[in-house]
């Protein structure tokens, strides 16, 4: 049986809340890239991000079920990034909208 693949691996795997998980993965990736670029140690990253040190590596490995999108957005602002949320037009009134992030 051939499955149709989407741009969301979580949806492809049938994971509940796939859109939310995809957004969290993208946010975690952005946070991880900044930590790597700034060469922060785990403790330093945890302090700046305002989260327990034990959660930082878990989040960066994709284990972010216990971390809200709001917390991840807060992490981005704590490291000096601006976060913008854009609500798009209702182009498809019969289908649900989607959530995504765009890095500038």
């Amino acid at each position: 049986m051939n499955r149709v693949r989407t741009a969301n691996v979580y949806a492809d795997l049938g994971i509940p809340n796939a859109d939310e998980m995809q957004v969290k993965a993208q946010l975690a990736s952005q946070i991880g890239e900044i930590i790597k670029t700034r060469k922060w140690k785990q403790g330093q990253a945890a302090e700046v991000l305002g989260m327990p040190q034990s959660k930082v590596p878990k989040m960066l490995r994709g284990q972010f079920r216990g971390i809200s999108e709001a917390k991840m957005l807060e992490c981005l602002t704590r490291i000096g990034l601006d976060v913008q949320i854009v609500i798009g037009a209702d182009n498809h009134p019969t289908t649900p909208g989607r959530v995504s992030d765009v890095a500038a």
Side-chain angles (χ1 to χ4, degrees), residues 19-20 23-24 27 67-74 99:
D19 286 339
E20 177 184 352
V23 169
K24 285 183 175 184
L27 294 172
I67 303 170
S68 69
E69 288 177 54
K71 178 60 181 172
M72 296 175 91
L73 293 171
E74 178 190 325
V99 177

Side-chain angles (χ1 to χ4, degrees), residues 46-62:
E47 185 176 325
V48 172
L49 298 176
M51 63 188 337
Q53 185 173 344
S54 62
K55 282 196 173 189
V56 173
K58 289 179 182 178
M59 177 182 64
L60 298 179
R61 288 193 309 263

Side-chain angles (χ1 to χ4, degrees), residues 27-66:
L27 294 172
S29 177
Q30 289 291 314
I31 293 166
E33 284 299 315
I34 292 164
I35 290 170
K36 182 179 170 183
T37 299
R38 296 183 184 180
K39 299 178 181 166
W40 288 344
K41 304 277 188 222
Q42 266 186 30
Q44 184 180 11
E47 185 176 325
V48 172
L49 298 176
M51 63 188 337
Q53 185 173 344
S54 62
K55 282 196 173 189
V56 173
K58 289 179 182 178
M59 177 182 64
L60 298 179
R61 288 193 309 263
Q63 298 171 349
F64 35 70
R65 283 212 184 260

Side-chain angles (χ1 to χ4, degrees), residues 73-94:
L73 293 171
E74 178 190 325
C75 288
L76 289 167
T77 62
R78 290 178 68 110
I79 55 182
L81 296 180
D82 292 333
V83 174
Q84 297 178 350
I85 298 174
V86 178
I87 309 297
D90 181 11
N91 294 328
H92 306 284
T94 60

